[in-house]
Amino acid sequence: MDEWVSLALILAGIAAMALSGLPGLLPFRGAGRSERLSAAGMIAGAALGGAGLTASAMAGNVPALSWAWNLPMGRFSVALDGLSAVFLLPTLVAAPLASIYGLGYWSEARHPESAARLRFFLGLMAGALGMVVIARDAVLFLIAWEVMAVAAFFLITTEDEAPSVRESGWLYLAATHLASLALIAAFSLWNSATGSTALETAPQAAGPWTAIFLLSLLGFGLKAGLMPFHVWLPGAHANAPSHVSALMSGVLIKMGVYGLARMTAILPAPPVYWGGLLLLLGTASAVLGVAYAIAQHDLKRLLAYHSVENIGIIFMGLGLALMGRSAGRGDWIAFGLAGALLHVWNHGLFKSLLFLGAGSVIHATGTREMDRMGGLAKSMPRTAALFLIGAAAICGLPPLNGFVSEFLIYLGLFQVLQSSHAAVFWAWPAFTVPFLAMTGALAVACFVKVYGVVFLGEPRSDACRGAHEPPASMTAPMIVLAAGCFLIGLLPWAVLPFMGRAISAWAPGTDPLLLSMAPVGWISAVGGALIGGAALAFLWLRRRGGSAPLAGTWDCGYVAPSPRMQYTASSFGQFLVGQFAWALRPRLHAPRLEGPFPAPARFETHVEDVALQRGILPAWRWSLLAFGRLRFLQQGRIQVYVLYMAVFAVALLAVSMGLQP
C-alpha cells in the first residue's frame, strides 16, 4: 500500500471523529438517534485510523504529506513515525469507548440541555488529539493544540451551573493558555534558530536549545499535570463527566508527554542536566501525587491525583532515556523510553477503566464522597470486579500491565548501577529506585482504602442500598479496557516491537533489540501461574464458603453492627497522611472524647493543594492588587491611547536598534 494511502486513512479517521458530534446539533435529532449516530461516527473514525495505523506498521515506513497553505507561516505537514503511532493508538481506543459509555452515562434523555454539546466537543477533542501527534509543523501543531485545549474547556464545564465546575474550568483555561504562551515562545525561538517551523531535527548544533527545552518543559509539563504544574488537573478531572475524565486522564494529558518527547527528539546534543531535571520532577510528582491521593475522600479527585503520580513515573523513564542520550548509553535509552511509552499505554487503559468504574458508582449512588458509600460489591459485583482489576493494574501488580512498564523502568535504573562511568555523578539516577518502590507501596495502600471503603463493608446510605449495575453500554467499555490490562500484562513481548519503533524514531542509531534483555518470557509465565493459582483458590473458597454461616462484613462480633463503625476514607488514611504532613499540611477535625458516654463526634481530614492554595492563588491576588495601581493609565480618551502606542513603538525601535550588531 502506498504511503499516502495509510496517512489518508488516518486523516479521514481524524476528520470523522472530529465531526462525530455534529448530528446532535442538527434539527432532526431526537429519540436517541443523534447520540447513536455520534457514537457510530466515532467508532468509524477510530476504525479508519486503526486501518491506516496497521497499514503503516505492516509496511514499516514513515508516511508523510506536506502541502502549502495561505497562512503567512508554516505548512500543512503531517507524518506518522513510531513515536506518533504510540500516542495515536490510545486515542483510537479510548475515544470510541468513551463515546459508547456516554450513551448510558450522559444520555440525551437524562441530560437534554447538555448532551448534544458534550458529544460535539468530545468528538472535536478526539480529532484534535489525533492531529496533534501527526503534525510536523509548529503552526499546525499549535492550531490542533488550541482546538484540543478549548474543546476540553467546554467538556470540563459541562455542568456549568455549579460554582465548583466554573472555578475548575477557569483554572484549567488559565493553565492551558499559559502553556500555549510558553509553546509559542519556544516555537518562535525554534523558527529563529532554524529558519523554519518544520518540526524536524535541528540542522546545526549551536542554538538557544536550553531556552527552548525549558519553555517546552513549562508548556508541556502544564498539560501533562507534572508537579508542580498540576494545579488545574484535580479539579478538572473531578468535575468533568466521568467518560470525559477517562479520555482526559487516559489520553489528553499524555499530549504533554508526547510534546516533550518530540521536542527532545529533535533538539541536538542534550546536556545531562536536562534528563536529570526530568528525573527529579518525575520522582517528586510520583511520590507527592500518590501522597495527595491517599488524603482524598472524593473518589474522582483521588483518581486525578493518581494521574499526577503516573505522569511522574513516565517522566522518570523519559528523564533516564534523556540522560542515556547524553551519556551515549543505548541501554538507558531503550529501557527508560520503552518503560515510559509503555506506561503511557498502560495508564491509558487502567486509568480510563478506573474513571469509568467511578462513573458507574456515581451513576448508581449520586455522590463522589467515599464516606457515603460502602458495600457496593454486593449490589454491583461486575463493576466491583472491573474496578479491582484497574486498581491492581495501577498498583503495578502482576499479572497486569502496570507491572510490565514499571519493571522496564526499574531495569533501566538498575543498568545505571552497572555503568562503566567512573564519575559518581552518573550513578545518582539509581537512587530514585527506592522512591519508585515507595510510590508503588503507597498506591497499594491507597487502593486498599478505596476498595475497602467503597465496595466492602456495609452501605452507608440509602442510595448505596438501592445501587444497581449500569447498563451494558457502560459495562462493555470497561470490559474491553480490563481485557487490555490483562493482554499487555500477560503478553508483553507482543507490544515491545511498537516501543522499539518509537525508540528508533526518538534516538536514531539506538538498538531497540536491547529490549530482548528484559525477561518478558518469565513475566508471561509468572502471570499465567498467578492467574491459574487465583482461579484454583477462588474455586476452593467458593466450595468451602457454601457451608459457612453468613455474617455481616466487619461486624467484629457485635450483635447489631452499624455502618458508622466502619473505617471512613479519612480514618483509613490518617497514619500515612500524618507521615506526609510536612508536604500536605492537612487540617484535622478530631473528636474530643470525654467522660464514660462521650457525645457523638466525627473525625475528618482535609487536604488542600499547597501549590495552588499557598502559592498560585496568593500570587494571583497580589498581582491583582499591584496591577490595580496602574488603573490611572485607563483615561478613556483615544488621544491618550494613541500616545501610548507611539511611546511603545519608539521604545521597541530603540531596543531593536540597540540589539543590532
Side-chain angles (χ1 to χ4, degrees):
M1 186 179 291
D2 293 331
E3 291 185 10
W4 68 270
V5 175
S6 57
L7 204 48
L9 284 171
I10 291 172
L11 287 172
I14 289 172
M17 288 195 295
L19 301 176
S20 63
L22 277 181
L25 304 180
L26 298 178
F28 63 80
R29 67 177 187 174
R33 185 191 305 166
S34 61
E35 51 195 13
R36 290 194 293 274
L37 279 174
S38 175
M42 189 74 86
I43 294 169
L48 285 170
L53 203 58
T54 305
S56 174
M58 293 178 66
N61 53 27
V62 182
L65 291 172
S66 183
W67 296 315
W69 58 21
N70 293 327
L71 295 180
M73 293 182 67
R75 296 172 61 85
F76 184 88
S77 298
V78 292
L80 182 75
D81 60 5
L83 189 61
S84 295
V86 165
F87 286 87
L88 179 60
L89 185 60
T91 304
L92 301 178
V93 173
L97 292 178
S99 185
I100 294 170
Y101 188 91
L103 292 175
Y105 184 73
W106 208 272
S107 65
E108 192 160 333
R110 294 185 61 184
H111 303 277
E113 296 180 352
S114 59
R117 183 184 64 179
L118 187 150
R119 287 196 303 278
F120 174 75
F121 286 111
L122 187 71
L124 198 61
M125 186 176 78
L129 288 168
M131 185 57 73
V132 163
V133 299
I134 64 170
R136 289 295 180 276
D137 184 89
V139 178
L140 178 62
F141 182 94
L142 285 174
I143 292 172
W145 184 270
E146 276 301 294
V147 173
M148 173 188 73
V150 173
F153 167 74
F154 285 106
L155 289 170
I156 292 167
T157 55
T158 298
E159 295 181 284
D160 56 4
E161 66 276 8
S164 62
V165 173
R166 293 197 297 272
E167 182 180 336
S168 299
W170 285 115
L171 182 59
Y172 164 79
L173 199 63
T176 198
H177 279 96
L178 178 60
S180 297
L181 287 174
L183 295 184
I184 290 171
F187 288 142
S188 299
L189 286 176
W190 176 266
N191 183 50
S192 173
T194 65
S196 168
T197 56
L199 297 178
E200 299 171 351
T201 304
Q204 70 273 357
W209 311 132
T210 296
I212 293 174
F213 169 75
L214 293 176
L215 287 168
S216 299
L217 177 58
L218 174 61
F220 293 124
L222 272 163
K223 181 60 68 179
L226 181 71
M227 198 169 278
F229 311 129
H230 69 287
V231 291
W232 65 271
L233 192 151
H237 283 42
N239 287 298
S242 293
H243 58 306
V244 173
S245 304
L247 191 59
M248 290 178 64
S249 182
V251 183
L252 182 137
I253 62 173
K254 310 298 173 28
M255 293 301 108
V257 179
Y258 168 75
L260 196 60
R262 177 63 65 188
M263 290 305 294
T264 50
I266 61 178
L267 288 171
V272 65
Y273 67 86
W274 289 9
L277 182 58
L278 294 190
L279 197 58
L280 183 64
L281 289 175
T283 303
S285 191
V287 175
L288 294 179
V290 72
Y292 269 107
I294 291 172
Q296 305 303 312
H297 37 77
D298 179 321
L299 180 55
K300 289 184 66 180
R301 189 174 284 271
L302 178 147
L303 295 177
Y305 274 111
H306 272 289
S307 293
V308 177
E309 169 218 340
N310 281 275
I311 285 294
I313 294 173
I314 292 169
F315 270 77
M316 289 177 73
L318 186 58
L320 176 63
L322 202 54
M323 292 189 73
R325 277 184 60 190
S326 304
R329 292 295 301 258
D331 50 350
W332 300 7
I333 296 174
F335 287 116
L337 193 62
L341 298 182
L342 185 56
H343 207 70
V344 167
W345 279 15
N346 292 339
H347 184 255
L349 288 170
F350 56 64
K351 184 48 72 65
S352 298
L353 172 59
L354 288 169
F355 267 117
L356 296 188
S360 296
V361 169
I362 295 166
H363 184 264
T365 63
T367 181
R368 303 194 318 239
E369 285 295 323
M370 290 188 287
D371 289 347
R372 297 173 60 187
M373 299 178 185
L376 292 177
K378 297 173 183 174
S379 53
M380 304 176 68
R382 290 194 296 275
T383 301
L386 292 166
F387 193 93
L388 182 61
I389 293 170
I394 199 173
C395 293
L397 300 178
L400 293 159
N401 56 346
F403 170 76
V404 182
S405 48
E406 291 192 28
F407 185 64
L408 289 175
I409 296 175
Y410 273 116
L411 286 178
L413 293 173
F414 284 134
Q415 291 291 324
V416 175
L417 289 176
Q418 302 174 3
S419 169
S420 59
H421 285 278
V424 177
F425 173 79
W426 287 101
W428 77 265
F431 289 102
T432 58
V433 170
F435 293 101
L436 185 56
M438 181 194 300
T439 301
L442 292 173
V444 171
C446 187
F447 276 95
V448 167
K449 174 187 104 169
V450 174
Y451 203 80
V453 172
V454 174
F455 292 102
L456 303 183
E458 298 296 330
R460 291 180 169 87
S461 65
D462 292 338
C464 289
R465 292 185 188 89
H468 53 80
E469 288 284 14
S473 61
M474 294 171 62
T475 306
M478 291 192 284
I479 293 174
V480 172
L481 293 167
C485 293
F486 275 111
L487 183 67
I488 295 179
L490 291 172
L491 307 174
W493 42 268
V495 298
L496 288 187
F498 294 95
M499 305 302 128
R501 288 190 64 198
I503 291 168
S504 298
W506 189 77
T510 301
D511 183 10
L513 295 178
L514 286 168
L515 290 176
S516 62
M517 296 165 56
V520 289
W522 280 103
I523 293 175
S524 297
V526 172
L530 285 173
I531 289 181
L536 290 175
F538 174 77
L539 292 175
W540 180 76
L541 288 172
R542 188 173 182 180
R543 183 177 178 183
R544 182 173 177 268
S547 58
L550 294 177
T553 309
W554 292 351
D555 66 358
C556 302
Y558 284 88
V559 176
S562 164
R564 296 179 62 190
M565 297 166 62
Q566 301 172 144
Y567 272 106
T568 63
S570 296
S571 57
F572 200 106
Q574 179 189 4
F575 172 75
L576 290 174
V577 171
Q579 302 306 304
F580 285 91
W582 56 272
L584 305 183
R585 307 294 179 91
R587 289 186 288 114
L588 301 180
H589 300 278
R592 296 184 61 186
L593 303 179
E594 297 176 344
F597 299 100
R602 185 178 179 86
F603 172 80
E604 288 181 343
T605 59
H606 294 279
V607 174
E608 296 176 336
D609 198 297
V610 174
L612 177 64
Q613 298 295 335
R614 306 195 182 191
I616 293 175
L617 290 182
W620 175 253
R621 287 191 285 269
W622 179 86
S623 66
L624 287 179
L625 184 65
F627 284 108
R629 300 181 185 277
L630 300 178
R631 285 178 182 163
F632 70 91
L633 294 173
Q634 185 177 358
Q635 297 291 326
R637 289 185 295 174
I638 192 169
Q639 297 90 339
V640 177
Y641 298 142
V642 171
L643 177 63
Y644 291 162
M645 295 169 64
V647 171
F648 188 67
V650 170
L652 277 180
L653 183 63
V655 170
S656 61
M657 291 178 66
L659 292 177
Q660 292 295 327

